[in-house]
């Protein structure tokens, strides 16, 4: 089933603003109607001066020429006033409408994006998504600011002036209107040719944004490998591809106005010449001839702006397609319906015959069954790629299991409200993400109503208070984007403080000490011993020394549970765990 046209998709989205769209459209039409009135008043003035008591106005019963001119002056005042008033209203309405639709569309697109599964983000570049949320939505705003009004006013001009022509001078009208079909057909032909060109332009700019975003994120790597020249060349290639795409669109759109001007010229000359001949022969009043000459210009010359208007229109439609395609992306992670308040959760978790594979890859989790008792600390160990971190993603429902079930307190995770599930889990990952903001803001992220005293207490539990107090502005110190102003160990302890403040019944430690020095690891281990008490804790670790005191250790290999038990039991078993322990402890 084919998708609706971009304009129809936009109108469907903007249905709540139909009244405002109608109001803005009516103001645009009325502004153009009053804008077309001055040539008629000029023609009437010429008629008064030439014919005096026999003028058109004299037929209304006003014989005095001065009085006729006063009437025309008063009408001019009214017409100009109304034109200015409706111009103010249509600009106010269209621009506010553009801002409202832009604002809501960006929020809806971003909100929808947040609800998409993790796989979508792994398949999409950040730069491409940023281009949709910023550039594409801004392109729509620019069109609504001016383009919509231009289209309405061109249509109004054609209808009003065309009707007036056939009433005043039917013999000349057909010649003046002759260029119209050519102009309209040409406009549609250009639109058809421009559409794929502008779609290509939007695609190229998203690729360029993606590369720029990627490079700015990895600037440390670029510098450390002295790859500045290489990356500049890559940006140059992407930017040049964008320039060339734009150049092809510009070459076509720039030809539109000159061609339209040539066609318009014939209509203007026909009116000037044939209308003049009819006026000389007495078949056409001089005042009417003046109106036709002026009105022809008002009819035909504005059509030269069709090129720019269609240019805006095509750019906007290419952008709206990309935004709507994002909004149409189905959400595969369903929110669930069963409520499970955090204070009622003990933390009993069970995997039952769970299997999972990433797209187009072999299974990472294969028929896994294990139980994590409430209030216990269990460890999950194994070689890289054994499925440890994938278990965490499934538990948080960042991905859905493909077979089997995971339960919390005996309830299938897919049936639980997603917010309740994630509120119950605190995650401390090896890849700590800190937002650009203060230390206090990062600790209280997710617990936004926390007081400063609670934030400080959480930092003390995480053994982070001392180094925070030593920072230039303490808890008000800006950490930089991704926390780049802090060391890895400092970022890790802030992440732990964040989890402490959240106080979840379930705590997941995903390689929480893998990238820190021994002193920092010791500090983190002390804080973990405190915060893991009386809560279900899942510790994923490569360093077996950090989990040797766990209540149970599960050993994973190729997505399957191969061993389970306490540290001493697994050493006696002389299996996979014992082999890993010998390697890490230096025993052979």
């Amino acid at each position: 089933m084919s998708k609706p046209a971009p304009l129809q998709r936009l109108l469907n989205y903007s249905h709540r603003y139909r009244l405002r769209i109608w109001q803005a459209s009516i103001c645009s039409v009325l502004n153009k109607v009053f804008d077309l009135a001055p040539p008629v008043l000029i023609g009437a003035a010429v008629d008064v001066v030439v014919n005096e008591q026999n003028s058109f106005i004299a037929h209304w019963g006003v014989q005095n020429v001065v009085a006729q001119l006063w009437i025309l002056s008063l009408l001019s005042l009214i017409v100009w006033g109304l034109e200015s008033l409706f111009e103010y209203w249509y600009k106010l309405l269209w621009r506010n409408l553009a801002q409202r639709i832009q604002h809501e569309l960006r929020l809806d697109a971003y909100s929808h994006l947040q609800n998409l599964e993790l796989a979508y983000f792994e398949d999409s570049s950040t730069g491409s998504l940023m281009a949709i949320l910023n550039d594409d939505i801004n392109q729509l705003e620019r069109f609504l600011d001016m383009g919509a009004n231009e289209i309405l006013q061109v249509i109004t001009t054609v209808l009003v002036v065309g009707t007036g022509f056939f009433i005043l001078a039917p013999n000349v009208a057909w010649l003046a209107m002759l260029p119209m079909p050519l102009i309209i057909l040409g406009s549609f032909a250009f639109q058809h040719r421009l559409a794929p060109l502008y779609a290509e332009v939007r695609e190229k700019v998203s690729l360029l944004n993606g590369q720029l975003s990627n490079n700015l994120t990895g600037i440390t790597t670029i510098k450390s490998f002295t790859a500045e020249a290489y990356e500049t060349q890559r940006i140059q290639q992407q930017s040049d591809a964008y320039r060339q795409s734009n150049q092809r669109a510009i070459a076509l759109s720039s030809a539109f106005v000159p061609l339209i001007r040539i066609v318009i010229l014939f209509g203007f000359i026909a009116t000037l010449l044939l209308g003049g001949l009819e006026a000389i022969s007495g078949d056409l009043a001089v005042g009417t001839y003046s109106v036709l000459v002026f009105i022809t210009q008002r009819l035909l010359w504005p059509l030269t702006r069709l090129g720019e208007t269609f240019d805006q229109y095509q750019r906007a439609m290419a952008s709206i397609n990309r935004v709507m395609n994002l909004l149409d992306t189905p959400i595969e992670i369903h929110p669930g319906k069963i409520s499970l308040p955090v204070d009622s959760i003990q933390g009993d978790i069970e995997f039952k015959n769970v299997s999972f594979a990433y797209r187009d890859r072999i299974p990472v989790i294969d028929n896994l069954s294990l139980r994590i008792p409430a209030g216990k600390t269990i460890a999950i160990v194994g070689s890289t790629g054994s499925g440890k971190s994938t278990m965490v993603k499934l538990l948080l429902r960042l991905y859905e299991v493909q077979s089997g079930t995971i339960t919390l307190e005996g309830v299938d995770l897919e049936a639980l409200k997603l917010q309740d599930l994630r509120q119950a889990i605190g995650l401390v990952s090896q890849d700590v993400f800190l937002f650009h903001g203060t230390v206090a803001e990062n600790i209280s992220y997710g617990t936004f109503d926390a007081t400063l005293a609670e934030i400080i207490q959480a930092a003390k539990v995480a053994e982070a208070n001392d180094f925070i107090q030593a920072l230039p502005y303490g808890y008000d110190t800006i950490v930089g984007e991704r926390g780049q102003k802090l060391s890895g160990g400092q970022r890790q302890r802030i992440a732990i403080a964040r989890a402490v403040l959240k106080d979840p019944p379930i705590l997941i430690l995903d390689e929480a000490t893998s990238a820190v020095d021994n002193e920092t690891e010791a500090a983190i281990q002390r804080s973990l011993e405190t915060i893991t008490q009386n809560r279900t804790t899942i510790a994923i670790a490569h360093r077996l020394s950090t989990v040797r005191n766990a209540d149970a250790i599960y050993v994973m290999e190729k997505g399957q549970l191969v061993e389970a038990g306490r540290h001493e039991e697994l050493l006696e078993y002389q299996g996979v765990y014992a082999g890993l322990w010998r390697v890490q402890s230096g025993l052979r």
Side-chain angles (χ1 to χ4, degrees):
M1 182 178 176
S2 61
K3 293 179 179 177
L7 183 59
Q8 185 60 51
R9 297 175 83 178
L10 176 61
L11 291 173
N12 290 342
Y13 176 82
S14 309
H15 66 90
R16 74 195 83 171
Y17 293 115
R18 281 179 184 169
L19 178 59
R20 287 183 178 272
I21 292 172
W22 274 108
Q23 290 171 338
S25 300
I26 290 169
C27 288
S28 291
V29 170
L30 290 175
N31 168 257
K32 179 48 66 175
V33 168
F34 286 111
D35 178 57
L36 294 171
V40 177
L41 296 173
I42 291 171
V46 171
D47 186 48
V48 169
V49 172
V50 172
N51 295 315
E52 298 183 352
Q53 282 81 12
N54 294 319
S55 69
F56 176 73
I57 295 180
H59 296 157
W60 294 355
V62 182
Q63 296 295 321
N64 185 281
V65 175
V66 175
Q68 292 180 40
L69 292 174
W70 271 108
I71 290 172
L72 287 175
S73 299
L74 181 61
L75 287 173
S76 297
L77 181 64
I78 294 171
V79 165
W80 283 82
L82 289 173
E83 180 193 355
S84 300
L85 184 63
F86 283 115
E87 181 177 3
Y88 168 76
W89 279 346
Y90 87 65
K91 285 183 176 179
L92 186 70
L93 288 167
W94 279 121
R95 288 178 180 178
N96 282 331
L97 189 64
Q99 291 299 318
R100 283 175 176 268
I101 292 177
Q102 173 199 234
H103 171 69
E104 293 203 4
L105 190 57
R106 180 176 285 116
L107 285 182
D108 286 348
Y110 176 71
S111 179
H112 185 82
L113 191 63
Q114 284 194 131
N115 290 325
L116 294 175
E117 70 283 1
L118 203 58
Y120 180 86
F121 295 92
E122 292 171 349
D123 293 337
S124 306
S125 77
T126 303
S128 176
L129 297 176
M130 287 294 293
I132 293 173
L133 294 175
N134 273 330
D135 295 346
D136 288 322
I137 292 177
N138 289 344
Q139 192 70 52
L140 170 64
E141 179 209 0
R142 286 190 285 272
F143 171 70
L144 289 175
D145 265 352
M146 297 182 63
N149 172 70
E150 290 282 349
I151 291 173
L152 284 169
Q153 293 205 336
V154 166
I155 294 171
T156 303
T157 301
V158 172
L159 293 176
V160 172
V161 174
T163 302
F165 252 93
F166 281 103
I167 292 173
L168 295 173
N171 294 333
V172 180
W174 69 274
L175 285 170
M177 301 298 288
L178 190 60
M180 292 300 301
L182 294 175
I183 293 170
I184 293 170
L185 290 174
S187 298
F188 280 114
F190 267 84
Q191 177 187 344
H192 182 71
R193 294 280 300 277
L194 279 169
L197 294 179
Y198 280 127
E200 182 185 344
V201 168
R202 300 314 307 159
E203 182 62 29
K204 296 296 185 189
V205 77
S206 78
L207 292 174
L208 175 60
N209 282 346
Q211 190 66 56
L212 287 168
S213 174
N214 197 48
N215 285 12
L216 292 174
T217 303
I219 192 66
T220 303
T221 304
I222 291 171
K223 286 181 175 294
S224 65
F225 283 90
T226 61
E228 290 91 343
Y230 172 75
E231 292 301 339
T232 299
Q233 184 181 10
R234 286 215 294 177
I235 293 299
Q236 186 270 333
Q237 290 171 349
Q238 296 277 17
S239 183
D240 194 56
Y242 172 52
R243 180 187 62 80
Q244 289 182 22
S245 295
N246 250 321
Q247 196 170 336
R248 286 189 288 271
I250 290 168
L252 183 61
S253 63
S254 297
F256 182 82
V257 172
L259 291 174
I260 293 298
R261 282 182 179 274
I262 293 171
V263 176
I264 286 171
L265 180 62
F266 289 105
F268 185 74
I269 290 174
T271 305
L272 192 69
L273 180 61
L274 296 180
L277 291 175
E278 286 205 2
I280 292 170
S281 65
D283 294 330
L284 189 66
V286 174
T288 304
Y289 174 62
S290 301
V291 172
L292 293 180
V293 171
F294 278 112
I295 212 77
T296 301
Q297 188 178 19
R298 288 296 184 94
L299 169 65
L300 298 177
W301 290 118
L303 296 178
T304 60
R305 294 203 302 272
L306 273 179
E308 182 181 346
T309 303
F310 274 121
D311 189 74
Q312 284 185 351
Y313 174 80
Q314 283 303 339
R315 287 179 183 269
M317 293 306 106
S319 292
I320 202 64
N321 253 342
R322 284 162 51 83
V323 178
M324 292 302 170
N325 286 342
L326 170 59
L327 285 170
D328 290 343
T329 303
I331 296 173
E332 296 183 6
I333 303 292
H334 299 291
K337 296 180 180 179
I338 298 176
S339 180
L340 193 63
V342 173
D343 55 10
S344 68
I345 296 175
Q346 300 299 311
D348 188 80
I349 301 166
E350 189 170 3
F351 287 70
K352 299 177 183 177
N353 307 115
V354 172
S355 294
F356 174 80
Y358 293 103
R359 191 175 301 169
D360 301 324
R361 291 166 64 181
I362 61 173
V364 182
I365 302 291
D366 186 13
N367 198 35
L368 175 67
S369 295
L370 62 84
R371 181 169 176 267
I372 302 169
K376 300 295 184 181
T377 295
I378 67 104
I380 301 174
V381 301
S383 57
T384 300
S386 59
K388 304 185 300 296
S389 294
T390 300
M391 287 179 61
V392 173
K393 293 176 181 177
L394 294 176
L395 187 55
L396 283 163
R397 285 191 66 205
L398 299 175
Y399 292 94
E400 299 285 34
V401 298
Q402 290 158 350
S403 65
T405 57
I406 304 174
T407 62
L408 173 60
E409 314 296 2
V411 182
D412 190 338
L413 293 191
E414 292 188 17
L416 285 175
K417 287 184 177 179
L418 198 56
Q419 186 170 5
D420 286 358
L421 170 66
R422 291 177 181 167
Q423 283 285 354
I425 300 173
L427 173 65
V428 180
S429 172
Q430 61 175 330
D431 183 21
V432 176
F433 188 95
L434 299 184
F435 294 89
H436 183 75
T438 67
V439 172
E441 288 169 345
N442 274 282
I443 293 176
S444 63
Y445 191 82
T447 314
F448 301 108
D449 57 351
T451 65
L452 180 59
E454 291 170 333
I455 292 170
I456 293 172
Q457 180 58 34
K460 287 178 177 178
V461 172
E463 299 210 13
N465 183 63
D466 290 344
F467 88 77
I468 293 173
Q469 295 286 11
L471 293 173
Y473 301 102
Y475 284 85
D476 292 326
T477 301
I478 300 294
V479 302
E481 191 172 359
R482 299 182 67 90
Q484 60 188 351
K485 293 184 178 181
L486 303 178
S487 70
Q490 289 172 334
R491 290 196 296 269
Q492 198 69 265
R493 279 182 274 183
I494 286 177
I496 292 171
R498 184 190 288 170
V500 171
L501 188 61
K502 185 179 182 181
D503 192 26
I506 302 167
L507 180 65
I508 299 176
L509 307 171
D510 187 2
E511 302 285 1
T513 62
S514 63
V516 297
D517 56 61
N518 291 334
E519 183 181 349
T520 303
E521 180 184 357
I524 290 175
Q525 285 296 340
R526 286 195 300 271
S527 62
L528 291 179
E529 286 174 10
T530 302
I531 67 174
T532 56
Q533 292 178 10
N534 301 318
R535 78 177 79 234
T536 303
T537 304
I538 303 170
I540 295 174
H542 276 300
R543 294 186 190 178
L544 303 185
S545 59
T546 62
V547 296
R548 62 183 298 175
N549 295 323
D551 296 309
I553 299 173
Y554 295 117
V555 184
M556 299 281 295
E557 281 295 322
K558 296 181 180 179
Q560 295 181 324
L561 179 64
V562 294
E563 294 175 12
R566 293 182 64 84
H567 173 73
E568 294 78 9
E569 295 170 349
L570 292 173
L571 289 180
E572 291 178 6
Y573 185 69
Q574 292 296 313
V576 174
Y577 182 85
L580 291 172
W581 178 259
R582 284 195 297 271
V583 170
Q584 292 190 17
S585 59
L587 302 173
R588 296 291 179 183

